[in-house]
Amino acid sequence: MTSTAASEIDEPAPPRERRQRVQAAETCLAVLKALATLGGRASLTAIAGAVEESPAKVHRYLASLMAEGLVEQDRGGTQYALAAEAMRVGLAAMRPVSYTHLRAHETSLHL
């Protein structure tokens, strides 16, 4: 055995992350957050640019979000907007939050 191989065996393995991340969920949430950051209504191109993904990929995520009632598309098919279910989630998140707690997080939420 070479000295390099021996030293690799002696080194402890890097710690595993406690939680595994699901890339699809992260991308979907990034699309939803981008739509919110863009004012709640935006084109596919604008959303794709905001999350730095292809419009085709973002379109698939938007289709899933529409199926769940979180996003809706205008009649012309050019704009996506936050829908009733997204508002319901936001309102539910605000119920137990005090005004002071909300103000403390405004910076991180970019409000």
Side-chain angles (χ1 to χ4, degrees):
M1 186 180 300
T2 67
S3 63
T4 304
S7 66
E8 288 175 7
I9 293 172
D10 295 337
E11 291 179 23
R16 288 184 58 186
E17 284 189 42
R18 293 181 82 177
R19 297 180 190 192
Q20 293 182 352
R21 299 174 76 139
V22 179
Q23 186 175 2
E26 290 177 347
T27 303
C28 193
L29 290 170
V31 168
L32 193 59
K33 289 177 181 181
L35 186 54
T37 300
L38 292 167
R41 178 176 298 277
S43 68
L44 173 61
T45 305
I47 300 165
V51 297
E52 298 179 347
E53 296 286 356
S54 72
K57 182 175 184 177
V58 171
H59 182 266
R60 291 191 302 269
Y61 284 97
L62 287 167
S64 294
L65 290 166
M66 286 190 302
E68 294 300 321
L70 292 159
V71 172
E72 60 191 12
Q73 191 174 24
D74 69 359
R75 290 180 191 248
T78 61
Q79 296 280 306
Y80 293 88
L82 294 174
E85 192 65 17
M87 290 179 230
R88 189 183 72 77
V89 170
L91 289 171
M94 291 176 61
R95 281 188 195 119
V97 177
S98 69
Y99 179 75
T100 306
H101 185 259
L102 182 62
R103 295 285 299 167
H105 291 336
E106 279 185 347
T107 304
S108 67
L109 296 173
H110 307 290
L111 296 177

